[in-house]
Amino acid sequence: MMRNKPTNLPATNGGIRVSGGAGGGRESGGHDWEMRLGGMLVQKRNPDSDLVRAPLPPMIRARIKYGSVYHEISISPQASFGELKKMLSGPTGIHYQDQKLMYKDKERDSKAFLDVSGVKDKSKMVLMEDPISQEKRFLEMRKIAKNEKASKAVSDISLEVDRLGGRVSAFVMVIKKGGKLAEKALVTVIELLMNELIKLDGIVAEGDVKLQRKMQVKRVQNYVEALDVLKVKNSMANGQQKQPNGQRLATIQEDSNRQRQEQKPIQSLMDMPINYKQKKKKIVEEPSNLGPGPNLMDSSIKWETFDNHTIPPRFNWEFFD
């Protein structure tokens, strides 16, 4: 029978080595342990020990020549040329976008770093003003200012259109309730809207401001179309109100009678209206002496004439099965 060899390892609990005694969860090696949510016992990590604090590099002094003057700037070697340009804006008075830094007879990009480019302490550089960049910046500034001005103009017009739109909504409610409006009020609002439309046509914009302008133009056009419809409805309502009541009743009765006659079926020929005009007899005596030759007409004959405007009756025949 074989016997297990005793060992000096600490006791285990479920296959996981734990420390006992007053060490508070510390092994003989001096490591701390912690219990995770899944029941796993792991070595406790110290977040401060993971941080590797590298020492900061010493500051360097760069000498920049602008014109006949040297400017000495203290800066970190890990900085970029763009940061150096911003620091030079104060003493030189040149905008950082208009600057051109030359190091070792080569223009350096603003995104390049000093230490990567080989800049060391007391390195010399030359600062020059870039007229092309300056012109581009001025054009961009003018474009931004023009766009802001157009945006403000569209915003002001939008507020005025909102105010006029409220009046249009009030007019619509009055017409829907059967009320009457003064035609002058409708014409005045239409003229005000057209003035705003002319202002919008004079605005030149790009991007989002152009879309806002287009939207306001569409709003004004919709309001003008709505007012034109209201104007027609209002004029029709005013025309019916001005017509006398007696004349209106007579017109209505006449229309109803005419419709009844058109819809009444014909039962026989006796129901057909026969509109004969009375015959008029005229005695015409022609002159007997019409010239040499035989007389074609005798003056002693009396002729009976009928009215030329007599219209023969029209019969609507009834068909029987």
Side-chain angles (χ1 to χ4, degrees):
M1 184 175 180
M2 297 181 66
R3 295 182 179 180
N4 293 331
K5 185 177 180 180
T7 60
N8 295 328
L9 296 175
T12 59
N13 184 10
I16 300 175
R17 185 181 300 177
V18 294
S19 62
R26 181 182 295 271
E27 283 188 330
S28 60
H31 298 289
D32 292 336
W33 298 87
E34 61 179 354
M35 184 71 69
R36 295 290 176 89
L37 295 177
M40 182 180 293
L41 187 66
V42 297
Q43 183 178 352
K44 188 175 182 180
R45 298 175 63 88
N46 187 5
D48 295 335
S49 63
D50 296 337
L51 297 177
V52 180
R53 296 183 178 178
L56 296 175
M59 303 290 286
I60 61 174
R61 291 176 295 176
R63 300 188 65 188
I64 296 93
K65 180 181 179 182
Y66 175 62
S68 59
V69 181
Y70 281 90
H71 300 279
E72 190 170 311
I73 303 295
S74 298
I75 190 172
S76 172
Q78 297 179 350
S80 63
F81 282 93
E83 296 176 1
L84 180 60
K85 289 179 180 180
K86 291 181 180 180
M87 297 178 69
L88 289 170
S89 297
T92 59
I94 305 175
H95 196 272
Y96 69 94
Q97 294 181 353
D98 303 339
Q99 296 178 12
K100 183 189 297 186
L101 278 176
M102 307 292 294
Y103 179 63
K104 294 183 179 180
D105 298 333
K106 185 178 180 181
E107 182 182 358
R108 302 295 172 171
D109 187 70
S110 297
K111 297 180 181 180
F113 293 97
L114 299 177
D115 54 353
V116 175
S117 301
V119 178
K120 299 179 181 179
D121 189 26
K122 295 184 179 179
S123 295
K124 295 181 180 180
M125 303 181 209
V126 179
L127 175 64
M128 301 175 62
E129 189 173 0
D130 189 3
I132 298 177
S133 300
Q134 186 177 10
E135 185 177 357
K136 289 181 179 179
R137 186 172 62 86
F138 285 160
L139 291 176
E140 189 67 21
M141 289 176 60
R142 287 184 60 185
K143 184 178 179 180
I144 293 174
K146 188 177 181 180
N147 206 20
E148 290 178 353
K149 184 179 179 181
S151 177
K152 185 177 182 303
V154 172
S155 179
D156 295 341
I157 292 174
S158 177
L159 294 175
E160 183 66 18
V161 172
D162 291 339
R163 186 181 67 83
L164 296 174
R167 297 180 64 179
V168 174
S169 300
F171 291 161
V172 171
M173 294 301 297
V174 171
I175 295 296
K176 283 185 177 180
K177 293 180 180 179
K180 305 297 184 299
L181 294 172
E183 187 176 356
K184 185 177 180 181
L186 294 172
V187 173
T188 301
V189 177
I190 291 175
E191 290 178 353
L192 293 175
L193 288 171
M194 294 304 295
N195 291 336
E196 299 302 323
L197 188 62
I198 293 173
K199 293 179 182 178
L200 288 171
D201 290 338
I203 296 176
V204 179
E206 296 180 357
D208 295 338
V209 182
K210 185 177 181 179
L211 294 177
Q212 294 177 5
R213 171 190 167 275
K214 187 176 181 180
M215 183 178 65
Q216 295 302 324
V217 169
K218 189 66 176 177
R219 287 182 62 198
V220 173
Q221 290 176 351
N222 291 336
Y223 283 141
V224 172
E225 291 176 0
L227 286 173
D228 290 337
V229 174
L230 293 178
K231 188 177 178 182
V232 173
K233 292 182 178 179
N234 187 62
S235 61
M236 292 175 62
N238 291 335
Q240 292 179 0
Q241 184 178 9
K242 292 179 181 179
Q243 189 176 6
N245 293 331
Q247 186 177 358
R248 289 176 60 189
L249 291 175
T251 305
I252 293 172
Q253 291 178 359
E254 183 179 354
D255 293 340
S256 62
N257 293 335
R258 184 166 54 253
Q259 292 177 0
R260 288 175 184 174
Q261 289 180 2
E262 291 177 355
Q263 296 176 0
K264 183 179 178 181
I266 300 173
Q267 300 296 336
S268 65
L269 296 176
M270 299 301 295
D271 295 334
M272 288 295 298
I274 301 174
N275 298 325
Y276 287 112
K277 294 186 178 181
Q278 295 180 356
K279 299 179 181 180
K280 297 182 180 180
K281 297 181 179 180
K282 297 182 180 180
I283 299 174
V284 180
E285 295 183 355
E286 296 294 337
S288 58
N289 298 326
L290 295 177
N295 293 330
L296 299 177
M297 296 180 63
D298 191 0
S299 62
S300 61
I301 299 174
K302 296 182 179 180
W303 298 91
E304 183 179 2
T305 60
F306 299 91
D307 192 358
N308 295 330
H309 299 285
T310 303
I311 301 175
R314 297 178 61 186
F315 296 96
N316 293 331
W317 299 96
E318 183 179 6
F319 297 92
F320 297 91
D321 296 333

